[in-house]
Amino acid sequence: MPTFSASAFQRLTGLESRPQPSVIPTRLPVVMMHGFGIGGSLRRGGHLHEQAMYLRMRGVRAYAPNVSPYNTVRARCQTWQAHIEHILEETHSDAVTVIAHSMGGLDARFLIAQMGMHEHIKALVTVSTPHRGSTLANLVLKQPDAVRSWLADITDWMGTHIIEDGSANSLQTVRELTPSFMKHSFNPNVPDHPDVAYWSYAGQAGRDTPVPLTPLLRYFNTHLYEREGINDGFVSVESARWGTFKGTVDADHVRQVGMDAGFGGANFDANAFYAQIAMQLRSAGW
């Protein structure tokens, strides 16, 4: 029988004394809210499901529900509210924290300011949310009528069929994502609530950054860069800043939710990123 030292045998077997990952004992459940579009819905479980399951393996009571991906904030929030009420009941908790990607952050702000959910949402962390809109919305609205109608028909059809009881109003949603609407209508009517903590992250990739960009976002990235500066292909850093700004994420908009569109080329761990946010929530007492 071969003779091995204890250390050599351990290296050979790779057996660790504590093989399970450390838990993240957040006090409150974490609700992960997705943004506009069906990209994440093409994966089993939908938007942010994989990240929620990763957090669950670390002891976080994480949920990533899905709502109609091509509808307005007001319409989506009816479903979000029902989801959160279900989570509160299931977990026997009186409050949650929210991590929201992209348009999901606008939904969460509306829930808090206009639907009384400030009593049940203690903290909101937004990731690449267009708090000041996106000039990409203007780009869509400037297309010829026939093109706009064609795009609206396709996205509305997908929005109503991809989820049970789905609904869609994609063209109106795009109108409400313009910088003008956000400045003159949404933000004045959706103020931050003093009882809720607001944190934000922004994404950066492509132009004027060392971060690889998913090729499909190259035109959008350039368009935004010329008008708003550094961005992640959909939302600029400046637009994403809100409340306590926690910094930039070296990932484009789709990689922030664990997608790479099959192109690879970026070293970004979305699961670890959201686990980091959960750790910060835990440290803050939530």
mmCIF file of all heavy atoms in Angstrom, residues 28 31 95-99 108 112 118 120-125 195-199 281 284 286:
data_model
loop_
_atom_site.group_PDB
_atom_site.id
_atom_site.type_symbol
_atom_site.label_atom_id
_atom_site.label_comp_id
_atom_site.label_asym_id
_atom_site.label_seq_id
_atom_site.Cartn_x
_atom_site.Cartn_y
_atom_site.Cartn_z
ATOM 1 N N LEU A 28 -34.233 39.660 6.856
ATOM 2 C CA LEU A 28 -35.454 39.772 6.073
ATOM 3 C C LEU A 28 -35.332 39.002 4.758
ATOM 4 O O LEU A 28 -34.223 38.838 4.226
ATOM 5 C CB LEU A 28 -35.745 41.245 5.760
ATOM 6 C CG LEU A 28 -35.950 42.170 6.961
ATOM 7 C CD1 LEU A 28 -36.135 43.607 6.494
ATOM 8 C CD2 LEU A 28 -37.141 41.722 7.802
ATOM 9 N N VAL A 31 -36.286 40.142 -2.103
ATOM 10 C CA VAL A 31 -37.062 40.033 -3.336
ATOM 11 C C VAL A 31 -36.242 40.632 -4.470
ATOM 12 O O VAL A 31 -35.772 41.768 -4.378
ATOM 13 C CB VAL A 31 -38.412 40.773 -3.225
ATOM 14 C CG1 VAL A 31 -39.211 40.608 -4.516
ATOM 15 C CG2 VAL A 31 -39.209 40.248 -2.039
ATOM 16 N N ALA A 95 -41.657 42.467 6.628
ATOM 17 C CA ALA A 95 -40.971 43.329 5.669
ATOM 18 C C ALA A 95 -39.976 42.533 4.845
ATOM 19 O O ALA A 95 -39.621 41.398 5.199
ATOM 20 C CB ALA A 95 -40.258 44.475 6.399
ATOM 21 N N VAL A 96 -39.527 43.128 3.756
ATOM 22 C CA VAL A 96 -38.522 42.534 2.877
ATOM 23 C C VAL A 96 -37.509 43.601 2.501
ATOM 24 O O VAL A 96 -37.711 44.796 2.755
ATOM 25 C CB VAL A 96 -39.150 41.962 1.577
ATOM 26 C CG1 VAL A 96 -40.173 40.882 1.892
ATOM 27 C CG2 VAL A 96 -39.782 43.092 0.737
ATOM 28 N N THR A 97 -36.420 43.168 1.894
ATOM 29 C CA THR A 97 -35.547 44.078 1.172
ATOM 30 C C THR A 97 -35.655 43.721 -0.308
ATOM 31 O O THR A 97 -36.018 42.602 -0.661
ATOM 32 C CB THR A 97 -34.081 43.972 1.634
ATOM 33 O OG1 THR A 97 -33.631 42.619 1.489
ATOM 34 C CG2 THR A 97 -33.945 44.405 3.084
ATOM 35 N N VAL A 98 -35.344 44.673 -1.163
ATOM 36 C CA VAL A 98 -35.494 44.466 -2.598
ATOM 37 C C VAL A 98 -34.177 44.756 -3.310
ATOM 38 O O VAL A 98 -33.515 45.771 -3.038
ATOM 39 C CB VAL A 98 -36.598 45.376 -3.175
ATOM 40 C CG1 VAL A 98 -36.604 45.315 -4.710
ATOM 41 C CG2 VAL A 98 -37.966 44.981 -2.622
ATOM 42 N N ILE A 99 -33.793 43.846 -4.201
ATOM 43 C CA ILE A 99 -32.693 44.079 -5.137
ATOM 44 C C ILE A 99 -33.325 44.116 -6.520
ATOM 45 O O ILE A 99 -33.924 43.120 -6.953
ATOM 46 C CB ILE A 99 -31.625 42.975 -5.069
ATOM 47 C CG1 ILE A 99 -31.056 42.842 -3.654
ATOM 48 C CG2 ILE A 99 -30.498 43.269 -6.061
ATOM 49 C CD1 ILE A 99 -30.103 41.670 -3.482
ATOM 50 N N ALA A 108 -40.037 49.258 -8.129
ATOM 51 C CA ALA A 108 -39.913 49.240 -6.675
ATOM 52 C C ALA A 108 -40.124 50.631 -6.087
ATOM 53 O O ALA A 108 -40.789 50.782 -5.048
ATOM 54 C CB ALA A 108 -38.546 48.688 -6.280
ATOM 55 N N ILE A 112 -43.165 51.725 -3.420
ATOM 56 C CA ILE A 112 -42.893 52.377 -2.141
ATOM 57 C C ILE A 112 -43.631 53.710 -2.026
ATOM 58 O O ILE A 112 -44.288 53.998 -1.014
ATOM 59 C CB ILE A 112 -41.373 52.594 -1.971
ATOM 60 C CG1 ILE A 112 -40.659 51.237 -1.844
ATOM 61 C CG2 ILE A 112 -41.079 53.480 -0.770
ATOM 62 C CD1 ILE A 112 -39.151 51.321 -2.007
ATOM 63 N N HIS A 118 -43.984 51.184 1.480
ATOM 64 C CA HIS A 118 -42.902 51.628 2.358
ATOM 65 C C HIS A 118 -42.989 50.936 3.717
ATOM 66 O O HIS A 118 -41.991 50.832 4.433
ATOM 67 C CB HIS A 118 -42.954 53.139 2.548
ATOM 68 C CG HIS A 118 -44.205 53.621 3.219
ATOM 69 N ND1 HIS A 118 -45.380 53.825 2.528
ATOM 70 C CD2 HIS A 118 -44.477 53.908 4.517
ATOM 71 C CE1 HIS A 118 -46.319 54.239 3.376
ATOM 72 N NE2 HIS A 118 -45.797 54.278 4.585
ATOM 73 N N HIS A 120 -43.494 47.843 4.097
ATOM 74 C CA HIS A 120 -43.026 46.466 3.971
ATOM 75 C C HIS A 120 -41.689 46.336 3.236
ATOM 76 O O HIS A 120 -41.173 45.227 3.123
ATOM 77 C CB HIS A 120 -44.078 45.632 3.244
ATOM 78 C CG HIS A 120 -45.407 45.617 3.933
ATOM 79 N ND1 HIS A 120 -45.592 45.026 5.171
ATOM 80 C CD2 HIS A 120 -46.597 46.136 3.576
ATOM 81 C CE1 HIS A 120 -46.850 45.170 5.539
ATOM 82 N NE2 HIS A 120 -47.487 45.842 4.596
ATOM 83 N N ILE A 121 -41.154 47.419 2.714
ATOM 84 C CA ILE A 121 -39.851 47.391 2.041
ATOM 85 C C ILE A 121 -38.896 48.280 2.831
ATOM 86 O O ILE A 121 -39.076 49.499 2.885
ATOM 87 C CB ILE A 121 -39.950 47.872 0.578
ATOM 88 C CG1 ILE A 121 -40.844 46.927 -0.229
ATOM 89 C CG2 ILE A 121 -38.552 47.956 -0.053
ATOM 90 C CD1 ILE A 121 -41.080 47.383 -1.663
ATOM 91 N N LYS A 122 -37.912 47.670 3.467
ATOM 92 C CA LYS A 122 -36.999 48.416 4.321
ATOM 93 C C LYS A 122 -35.816 49.007 3.557
ATOM 94 O O LYS A 122 -35.267 50.032 3.944
ATOM 95 C CB LYS A 122 -36.477 47.519 5.450
ATOM 96 C CG LYS A 122 -37.566 47.077 6.414
ATOM 97 C CD LYS A 122 -38.263 48.279 7.044
ATOM 98 C CE LYS A 122 -39.326 47.860 8.048
ATOM 99 N NZ LYS A 122 -40.070 49.021 8.590
ATOM 100 N N ALA A 123 -35.410 48.336 2.482
ATOM 101 C CA ALA A 123 -34.261 48.813 1.704
ATOM 102 C C ALA A 123 -34.452 48.430 0.248
ATOM 103 O O ALA A 123 -34.962 47.346 -0.054
ATOM 104 C CB ALA A 123 -32.958 48.237 2.237
ATOM 105 N N LEU A 124 -34.042 49.313 -0.629
ATOM 106 C CA LEU A 124 -34.088 49.078 -2.077
ATOM 107 C C LEU A 124 -32.691 49.274 -2.650
ATOM 108 O O LEU A 124 -32.107 50.351 -2.503
ATOM 109 C CB LEU A 124 -35.071 50.025 -2.751
ATOM 110 C CG LEU A 124 -34.995 50.096 -4.281
ATOM 111 C CD1 LEU A 124 -35.297 48.740 -4.906
ATOM 112 C CD2 LEU A 124 -35.952 51.165 -4.820
ATOM 113 N N VAL A 125 -32.184 48.231 -3.300
ATOM 114 C CA VAL A 125 -30.895 48.306 -3.989
ATOM 115 C C VAL A 125 -31.168 48.205 -5.484
ATOM 116 O O VAL A 125 -31.676 47.176 -5.948
ATOM 117 C CB VAL A 125 -29.948 47.169 -3.561
ATOM 118 C CG1 VAL A 125 -28.575 47.357 -4.207
ATOM 119 C CG2 VAL A 125 -29.832 47.094 -2.046
ATOM 120 N N ASP A 195 -38.465 56.451 5.273
ATOM 121 C CA ASP A 195 -38.312 55.230 6.065
ATOM 122 C C ASP A 195 -37.625 54.100 5.306
ATOM 123 O O ASP A 195 -37.455 53.001 5.851
ATOM 124 C CB ASP A 195 -39.683 54.739 6.541
ATOM 125 C CG ASP A 195 -40.337 55.701 7.523
ATOM 126 O OD1 ASP A 195 -39.613 56.517 8.127
ATOM 127 O OD2 ASP A 195 -41.575 55.637 7.665
ATOM 128 N N VAL A 196 -37.253 54.356 4.066
ATOM 129 C CA VAL A 196 -36.641 53.323 3.220
ATOM 130 C C VAL A 196 -35.226 53.745 2.850
ATOM 131 O O VAL A 196 -34.982 54.901 2.509
ATOM 132 C CB VAL A 196 -37.474 53.088 1.944
ATOM 133 C CG1 VAL A 196 -36.822 52.023 1.058
ATOM 134 C CG2 VAL A 196 -38.902 52.685 2.300
ATOM 135 N N ALA A 197 -34.287 52.804 2.901
ATOM 136 C CA ALA A 197 -32.913 53.054 2.463
ATOM 137 C C ALA A 197 -32.815 52.796 0.960
ATOM 138 O O ALA A 197 -33.315 51.784 0.470
ATOM 139 C CB ALA A 197 -31.943 52.155 3.212
ATOM 140 N N TYR A 198 -32.179 53.705 0.247
ATOM 141 C CA TYR A 198 -32.016 53.581 -1.202
ATOM 142 C C TYR A 198 -30.525 53.500 -1.524
ATOM 143 O O TYR A 198 -29.767 54.433 -1.241
ATOM 144 C CB TYR A 198 -32.619 54.783 -1.931
ATOM 145 C CG TYR A 198 -34.124 54.902 -1.815
ATOM 146 C CD1 TYR A 198 -34.706 55.451 -0.672
ATOM 147 C CD2 TYR A 198 -34.966 54.481 -2.840
ATOM 148 C CE1 TYR A 198 -36.088 55.568 -0.548
ATOM 149 C CE2 TYR A 198 -36.350 54.603 -2.738
ATOM 150 C CZ TYR A 198 -36.898 55.142 -1.584
ATOM 151 O OH TYR A 198 -38.266 55.255 -1.471
ATOM 152 N N TRP A 199 -30.112 52.378 -2.126
ATOM 153 C CA TRP A 199 -28.748 52.197 -2.599
ATOM 154 C C TRP A 199 -28.790 51.969 -4.105
ATOM 155 O O TRP A 199 -29.806 51.508 -4.643
ATOM 156 C CB TRP A 199 -28.090 50.972 -1.964
ATOM 157 C CG TRP A 199 -27.968 50.993 -0.476
ATOM 158 C CD1 TRP A 199 -28.188 52.041 0.365
ATOM 159 C CD2 TRP A 199 -27.578 49.885 0.358
ATOM 160 N NE1 TRP A 199 -27.972 51.663 1.666
ATOM 161 C CE2 TRP A 199 -27.592 50.345 1.697
ATOM 162 C CE3 TRP A 199 -27.228 48.567 0.111
ATOM 163 C CZ2 TRP A 199 -27.268 49.522 2.769
ATOM 164 C CZ3 TRP A 199 -26.904 47.736 1.178
ATOM 165 C CH2 TRP A 199 -26.919 48.214 2.491
ATOM 166 N N LEU A 281 -26.567 43.919 2.913
ATOM 167 C CA LEU A 281 -27.869 44.052 3.575
ATOM 168 C C LEU A 281 -27.796 43.438 4.979
ATOM 169 O O LEU A 281 -28.337 43.990 5.946
ATOM 170 C CB LEU A 281 -28.948 43.379 2.740
ATOM 171 C CG LEU A 281 -29.293 44.052 1.408
ATOM 172 C CD1 LEU A 281 -30.200 43.159 0.574
ATOM 173 C CD2 LEU A 281 -29.959 45.415 1.634
ATOM 174 N N ALA A 284 -26.046 45.645 7.368
ATOM 175 C CA ALA A 284 -26.849 46.807 7.747
ATOM 176 C C ALA A 284 -27.987 46.437 8.705
ATOM 177 O O ALA A 284 -28.744 47.294 9.148
ATOM 178 C CB ALA A 284 -27.430 47.463 6.493
ATOM 179 N N TRP A 286 -30.454 44.103 8.011
ATOM 180 C CA TRP A 286 -31.667 43.639 7.336
ATOM 181 C C TRP A 286 -31.552 42.163 6.937
ATOM 182 O O TRP A 286 -32.450 41.598 6.420
ATOM 183 C CB TRP A 286 -31.928 44.490 6.084
ATOM 184 C CG TRP A 286 -32.208 45.932 6.422
ATOM 185 C CD1 TRP A 286 -33.155 46.403 7.288
ATOM 186 C CD2 TRP A 286 -31.542 47.079 5.891
ATOM 187 N NE1 TRP A 286 -33.114 47.765 7.332
ATOM 188 C CE2 TRP A 286 -32.127 48.214 6.473
ATOM 189 C CE3 TRP A 286 -30.492 47.259 4.986
ATOM 190 C CZ2 TRP A 286 -31.705 49.507 6.179
ATOM 191 C CZ3 TRP A 286 -30.083 48.539 4.695
ATOM 192 C CH2 TRP A 286 -30.678 49.641 5.276
#
